[in-house]
Amino acid sequence: MPAERLVPRLWVPASGSAADPAGQRTKADVFAAILTAGPMSRTEVAQQLRLSQSTVTKIVNPLMDAGYLVEDSAAAAEGAVGRPRRMLQVRTELHLVVGVKIGPSKVTAVLTDLGAQVLARWEQPLADRRIGAVVAATAQGVRELLASVPGSAERMLGLGVGVSGHVDPVAGLCRYSALMGWHDEDVAGPLAAATGLPVAVGNDVNTLVVAEQWFGHGRDTESFAVVTVGPGVGCGLLLGGRLHLGRTGLAGEFGHMPLDPAGPVCSCGNTGCLEALVSYGAVLRRLREAGLEGCDDIDEAVALARSGRGPDSKTALAAFAAAGDALGRGLAGLCNLLNLEKIVLAGEGAAVQDLFGPAMAAALREHAFSTAAADCEVIVDAVTDDLWARGAACLVIRDAVQS
């Protein structure tokens, strides 16, 4: 491995730099366009990103000098008249990246190429959520992934990590995660020391936003949100083609938007947060309050609601419908505030959209202002943990080509 890659350090995200004016197209934008839609000519890149060809050339040349892009005139369309177009494409084999999703119950990691295509994956249950145990498990996963692909260590670009809660990507810290029970934990530093790799850390839903932007429903979309529903409620935002982090990475804490001052206590300690009304825990709490005993986990609640077996099934259906109604009210607020093009519903809850979806859609229509609901397409995407981890890998790739 080259010596410069052996120095563990925090990867400061270029997208968070004050030197990058809002709306300015960057090398990362051009790279992503060529990766997801290429091979492309400079003219096609300019048209897609609404740039001048001279601007595209200024951006492309350093990417070619660094080896991220190559030209291939043979990639031009057959039968083209005149001089063959020089088509740009990503050298996906140039580097490898590890992307990691850290969750309350397991760690999932993938080894990808520069195109974020998975070459190997690793997963391990997480019995201990303390930062030391999580770092040790993640480092073990990195070692096993590198060992599984010969020659991978020499091509490693870095390690991207997604974790729930308030994550400060510049400092590499998890300021607060209710799901993990973390307060001001240094994530990047210990992982860099344990793996010898540069480390980029971000909120896990933000990593999913990047994955959806590059490979999923967010392609060719300037403004969308990813909202995750499950043990918690998360949100990531792409606004004006940019991942919106806020001042310290706190943007998108949709689950802790206060909705009901008389509502239940949330995992964050406040009262009546959206998460306290929508999460799996909220559904199970409603079942207990209704006097339904013996339904202790969400899988049992889902099976009961779908069973159609008498009053208990109706009680379970009502619990999911109440969660859907609260979620719809929250989404209406999001649409009213941001006038989004799309909202992608993901997370474990996407698999039970049949139970909460009708109430959610009705509440969204009822509480959205003017055309805010009609303007926004709501898409359910039951993504796998691998896509979250690929999104974490994309953080490294994006910031590397931007630097």
Side-chain angles (χ1 to χ4, degrees), residues 93-116:
E93 76 283 0
L94 179 67
H95 292 300
L96 301 180
V97 179
V98 173
V100 177
K101 172 179 167 51
I102 295 174
S105 62
K106 62 183 175 180
V107 178
T108 302
V110 295
L111 178 68
T112 81
D113 61 16
L114 204 55

Side-chain angles (χ1 to χ4, degrees), residues 98-383:
V98 173
V100 177
K101 172 179 167 51
I102 295 174
S105 62
K106 62 183 175 180
V107 178
T108 302
V110 295
L111 178 68
T112 81
D113 61 16
L114 204 55
Q117 297 305 304
V118 176
L119 305 177
R121 74 181 306 276
W122 174 92
E123 187 172 282
Q124 179 173 298
L126 200 57
D128 187 346
R129 298 178 188 174
R130 289 176 294 181
I131 186 67
V134 173
V135 167
T138 303
Q140 178 63 30
V142 172
R143 288 190 291 270
E144 292 187 22
L145 285 172
L146 296 186
S148 70
V149 178
S152 59
E154 290 74 17
R155 292 190 287 152
M156 279 300 298
L157 188 62
L159 169 63
V161 179
V163 65
S164 70
H166 175 195
V167 178
D168 184 340
V170 175
L173 302 177
C174 179
R175 298 292 184 186
Y176 175 59
S177 173
L179 287 179
M180 298 301 296
W182 290 356
H183 294 265
D184 291 321
E185 296 287 2
D186 182 3
V187 180
L191 276 173
T195 64
L197 295 171
V199 177
V201 181
N203 170 271
D204 58 352
V205 186
N206 286 337
T207 71
L208 192 55
V209 170
V210 177
E212 289 283 2
Q213 180 191 21
W214 285 21
F215 308 111
H217 297 286
R219 293 177 65 177
D220 303 321
T221 304
E222 288 291 309
S223 298
F224 72 91
V226 173
V227 173
T228 59
V229 180
V233 175
C235 179
L237 299 168
L238 189 90
L239 303 179
R242 283 280 186 275
L243 181 63
H244 183 70
L245 301 176
R247 183 179 178 185
T248 62
L250 187 55
E253 283 298 333
F254 178 59
H256 299 290
M257 180 174 66
L259 274 192
D260 183 0
V265 176
C266 182
S267 61
C268 70
N270 290 328
T271 299
C273 293
L274 179 69
E275 183 173 296
L277 303 172
V278 173
S279 68
Y280 282 175
V283 172
L284 296 176
R285 187 197 68 250
R286 289 189 181 95
L287 295 181
R288 290 193 299 271
E289 291 173 350
L292 191 60
E293 302 293 338
C295 195
D296 299 324
D297 65 52
I298 197 65
D299 290 337
E300 292 176 356
V302 169
L304 182 60
R306 289 173 173 164
S307 70
R309 295 197 302 267
D312 287 351
S313 178
K314 291 182 178 179
T315 299
L317 284 170
F320 281 103
D325 178 78
L327 179 59
R329 290 170 182 264
L331 295 182
L334 203 58
C335 289
N336 292 346
L337 183 65
L338 299 174
N339 197 201
L340 298 166
E341 297 175 53
K342 293 180 182 178
I343 293 175
V344 180
L345 287 177
E348 298 93 327
V352 295
Q353 190 269 345
D354 58 311
L355 300 178
F356 69 80
M360 177 199 74
L364 172 58
R365 288 192 302 269
E366 180 179 354
H367 297 285
F369 178 74
S370 187
T371 63
D375 293 341
C376 182
E377 180 184 8
V378 178
I379 302 165
V380 178
D381 189 1
V383 300

Side-chain angles (χ1 to χ4, degrees), residues 37-84:
M40 301 174 72
S41 68
R42 286 171 172 78
T43 300
E44 290 168 334
V45 174
Q47 291 172 345
Q48 178 168 321
L49 298 181
R50 298 188 292 277
L51 297 172
S52 69
Q53 290 208 51
S54 62
T55 298
V56 171
T57 296
K58 289 178 182 178
I59 293 174
V60 163
N61 286 347
L63 291 174
M64 293 185 64
D65 292 341
Y68 291 113
L69 299 179
V70 292
E71 281 185 324
D72 183 6
S73 60
E78 290 186 15
V81 178
R83 187 173 62 182

